[in-house]
């Protein structure tokens, strides 16, 4: 069972001069995409008792995601107003203060389920307190239990209050994670002076087994200690980029899980064929997502072979 811990919210997506509310949040989207791809997935984050919280629960149910660990709270669901550029790229204004997940404290964490195959973390849930401390504590517990961690920082500079503290936390988490995925925006903020190969070597040197660097329409590159593999992006008619990276994460994890690569020495023993298959599923899932409005990941049957 893959456990996803991090933010859920409502994306307010532009729609003919108004805003259309759609379930979203980086980690929530990844969990939804994993469920739709057929992976066994569990989600952990406080969910509001308001109508938006009900919509989030409904999507989790519909996408076969186990949300039994999610605490219920009267606090409101966080909102993210989406601003789309001319090329469909998305920027966000977050309204998170006092929200359902913002006050998630380490003391409120449940025990790490014994059947956890991997832990996925990332997004804005890492940035502010106390929720950032809760996610980091869960990552520490996972690392101590020998559970592999995938980290996607998904940097939103406008949301970061303390650059120093955010860099410090991400540095600690990169030393715990076995899989690190960085977008071009993440790289520009975290490691502006390092090229792709140099950056991958740096993160692998910190203990990661797999580093994936994505570059939007230009594709992605994956690195292990012995391999470097590239994958071009899939052709797609662009609606917007909301949730594209989250679907990529899910495709990668779903493929690695199906291969049995998330257990034992699997990540350290990936061969070219296994890594290529994982990158291919990630690219196909991302391409379908960008072809339709909002974070609407594909079901497995929708993916071209």
């Amino acid at each position: 069972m893959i456990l996803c811990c991090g933010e859920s919210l409502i994306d307010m997506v532009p729609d003919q001069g108004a805003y259309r509310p759609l379930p979203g949040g980086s980690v929530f989207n990844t969990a939804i995409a994993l469920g739709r791809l057929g992976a066994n997935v569990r989600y952990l984050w406080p969910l509001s008792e308001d109508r938006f919280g009900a919509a989030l629960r409904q999507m989790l149910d519909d996408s076969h995601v186990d949300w039994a660990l999610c605490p219920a709270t009267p606090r409101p669901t966080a909102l993210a107003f989406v601003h789309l550029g001319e090329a469909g790229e998305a920027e966000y204004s977050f309204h998170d203060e006092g929200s359902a997940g913002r006050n998630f404290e380490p003391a409120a964490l449940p025990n790490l389920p014994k059947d956890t195959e991997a832990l996925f973390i990332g997004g804005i849930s890492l940035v502010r307190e106390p929720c950032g401390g809760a996610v980091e504590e869960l990552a520490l517990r996972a690392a101590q239990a020998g559970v592999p961690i995938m980290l996607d920082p998904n940097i939103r500079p406008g949301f970061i209050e303390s650059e120093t503290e955010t860099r410090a936390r991400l540095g600690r988490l990169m030393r715990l994670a076995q899989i690190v995925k960085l977008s071009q925006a993440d790289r520009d903020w975290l490691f502006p002076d390092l090229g792709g190969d140099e950056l991958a070597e740096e993160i692998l040197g910190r203990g990661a087994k797999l580093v994936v660097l994505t570059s939007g329409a230009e594709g992605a590159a994956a690195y292990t200690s012995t391999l470097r593999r590239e994958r071009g992006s899939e052709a797609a008619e662009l609606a917007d980029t909301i949730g594209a990276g989250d679907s990529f994460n899910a495709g990668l994890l779903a493929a690695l899980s199906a291969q049995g690569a998330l257990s034992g020495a699997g990540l350290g023993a990936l061969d070219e064929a296994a890594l290529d298959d994982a990158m291919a599923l990630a690219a196909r899932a991302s391409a379908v997502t960008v072809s339709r409005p909002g974070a609407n990941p594909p079901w497995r049957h929708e993916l071209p072979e």
Side-chain angles (χ1 to χ4, degrees), residues 2-281:
I2 299 171
L3 175 61
C4 298
C5 180
E7 79 275 1
S8 54
L9 47 78
I10 295 294
D11 284 326
M12 304 298 286
V13 180
D15 184 7
Q16 298 182 6
Y19 284 97
R20 181 183 179 192
L22 296 173
S26 176
V27 181
F28 177 88
N29 294 339
T30 298
I32 294 297
L34 279 164
R36 293 183 179 185
L37 292 175
N40 291 322
V41 57
R42 180 179 284 125
Y43 181 63
L44 170 59
W45 200 245
L47 294 174
S48 176
E49 296 168 343
D50 64 16
R51 291 186 180 183
F52 287 147
L56 294 169
R57 290 182 181 87
Q58 187 64 58
M59 180 170 275
L60 291 164
D61 278 336
D62 292 346
S63 302
H64 311 301
V65 179
D66 180 346
W67 53 271
L69 292 178
C70 296
T73 173
R75 296 180 181 275
T77 301
L79 303 177
F81 283 83
V82 181
H83 311 280
L84 297 177
E86 292 183 2
E89 72 278 7
E91 296 183 358
Y92 302 84
S93 298
F94 296 98
H95 298 262
D96 154 83
E97 196 67 38
S99 68
R102 174 66 176 276
N103 291 320
F104 192 29
E105 297 183 352
L109 284 169
N111 293 328
L112 184 73
K114 293 182 179 180
D115 63 348
T116 303
E117 178 186 16
L119 172 65
F120 176 81
I121 57 174
I124 65 170
S125 54
L126 302 177
V127 173
R128 295 183 178 174
E129 300 298 343
C131 62
V135 179
E136 185 172 0
E137 172 60 26
L138 185 65
L140 284 168
R141 294 181 190 180
Q144 291 165 0
V147 173
I149 299 163
M150 179 173 176
L151 169 67
D152 174 13
N154 202 21
I155 297 293
R156 306 297 183 195
F159 189 75
I160 294 171
E161 294 178 330
S162 171
E163 182 174 326
T164 300
E165 292 178 7
T166 298
R167 289 184 181 278
R169 169 161 289 146
L170 291 176
R172 294 190 297 270
L173 291 173
M174 283 185 192
R175 289 179 172 84
L176 295 177
Q178 282 71 52
I179 306 172
V180 176
K181 191 210 86 173
L182 299 176
S183 68
Q184 186 63 58
D186 296 333
R187 293 159 57 185
D188 291 344
W189 194 84
L190 284 164
F191 302 100
D193 299 326
L194 296 183
D197 292 353
E198 188 179 5
L199 172 55
E201 183 179 357
E202 165 69 22
I203 298 175
L204 290 169
R206 298 183 185 191
K209 301 297 184 183
L210 173 61
V211 176
V212 181
L213 305 180
T214 61
S215 301
E218 297 179 13
Y223 302 77
T224 70
S225 60
T226 59
L227 297 174
R228 182 187 189 278
R229 305 297 292 171
E230 294 187 359
R231 173 77 190 193
S233 63
E234 299 283 315
E237 185 173 343
L238 179 66
D240 60 53
T241 62
I242 302 170
D246 310 323
S247 291
F248 187 99
N249 294 336
L252 189 76
L253 277 174
L256 293 173
S257 176
Q259 295 166 6
L262 296 177
S263 59
L267 286 173
L270 285 172
D271 59 22
E272 290 185 358
L275 190 51
D276 287 349
D277 284 348
M279 293 282 281
L281 183 59

